[in-house]
Amino acid sequence: MTTSPTPTTRTKVLLVDDHDLIRKGLRHAFERDRQFEVVGEAATAAEGVRQAGALQPDVVIMDLRLPDGSGLEATRALRKSSATMGIVVLTMYAGDDQLFGALEAGASAFVPKTAPADEVVAAARHAASSPSAFTAADLAEAMKRRLAPSGPQLSPREGQVLRLLADGMSVAGIAKQLFVSESTAKTHISKLYEKLGAANRAQALMTALRLGLLEAPDAPKF
């Protein structure tokens, strides 16, 4: 006696995008994969949130810009109502601000619309299994850009030269202090000025103070 195989439960997907052609393309991509079932479509943020509440999909594909508001606001609303729903933010505007906005809103994944449909499907698969673990193709590089200091980066030697300039030392005095020739000291100073966008000592010191590369001198005590 043979038994029929137990049907697997499909991952339910809701598509939220105001472009009909994009929704059709995404529906086609998901329907080619037997793991997924598209259970609904919406063209506005409000309708997307309403349908998500009614249909309880496993994954929502959310456009970032919608006619009645931001897909990020809709994402926040969905995440507030469910910790287990996967949310993939899809956008034409795939800059760092949009990526981190999606992360902070509680999205599970961030995919640019320029990516192949297979990447959206893969992101949905991730979102279904790990809704609280954010993923994006450019996440590592975006993190590096966000964490990188914004001001000029001085070498240890340039830091020494800056502090000596702040102490009022002449080129000859700096050369003696660093045990280098005056020509080498001038080269260090020139490179320091270039990094700070300064033409002279006063400009360099003012810029360094503004950027926090030097501490302001203590006020005199009376």
Side-chain angles (χ1 to χ4, degrees):
M1 180 177 177
T2 59
T3 57
S4 58
T6 303
T8 56
T9 303
R10 290 190 175 186
T11 300
K12 297 182 293 182
V13 178
L14 171 64
L15 306 176
V16 184
D17 195 293
D18 60 326
H19 293 94
D20 184 58
L21 286 176
I22 290 178
R23 293 199 310 274
K24 285 181 178 178
L26 289 172
R27 175 180 281 275
H28 179 66
F30 280 109
E31 287 178 345
R32 286 182 309 186
D33 191 315
R34 292 187 177 182
Q35 177 185 340
F36 296 98
E37 176 189 4
V38 177
V39 294
E41 296 184 18
T44 66
E47 180 64 12
V49 171
R50 189 193 70 77
Q51 285 205 39
L55 299 171
Q56 291 297 302
D58 302 298
V59 178
V60 176
I61 309 298
M62 179 68 68
D63 188 13
L64 185 66
R65 292 196 174 186
L66 293 161
D68 61 335
S70 166
L72 293 183
E73 290 303 320
T75 296
R76 288 189 186 93
L78 293 177
R79 179 56 68 226
K80 185 176 180 180
S81 66
S82 173
T84 58
M85 184 180 293
I87 307 170
V88 177
V89 169
L90 190 65
T91 178
M92 284 294 294
Y93 310 92
D96 287 358
D97 287 346
Q98 288 78 20
L99 186 153
F100 286 114
L103 170 62
E104 290 159 4
S108 314
F110 178 87
V111 183
K113 285 187 176 179
T114 53
D118 287 348
E119 287 190 23
V120 182
V121 174
R125 188 173 288 110
H126 159 83
S129 61
S130 304
S132 61
F134 183 78
T135 185
D138 194 38
L139 180 59
E141 291 303 314
M143 290 295 293
K144 287 180 184 178
R145 289 190 291 271
R146 171 165 279 201
L147 295 174
S150 57
Q153 300 304 293
L154 305 185
S155 68
R157 177 64 85 188
E158 288 163 347
Q160 284 182 296
V161 171
L162 177 62
R163 288 187 291 273
L164 293 174
L165 287 172
D167 288 341
M169 280 197 178
S170 64
V171 173
I174 291 172
K176 184 176 180 180
Q177 184 74 20
L178 300 179
F179 302 102
V180 298
S181 67
E182 288 191 26
S183 175
T184 299
K186 286 180 181 178
T187 298
H188 288 317
I189 294 170
S190 177
K191 288 182 178 178
L192 175 64
Y193 285 0
E194 183 179 350
K195 281 190 177 182
L196 295 176
N200 53 49
R201 181 190 300 243
Q203 288 182 8
L205 295 180
M206 288 299 294
T207 300
L209 283 169
R210 179 171 54 81
L211 295 174
L213 299 173
L214 276 178
E215 291 185 6
D218 294 332
K221 295 179 180 179
F222 299 97

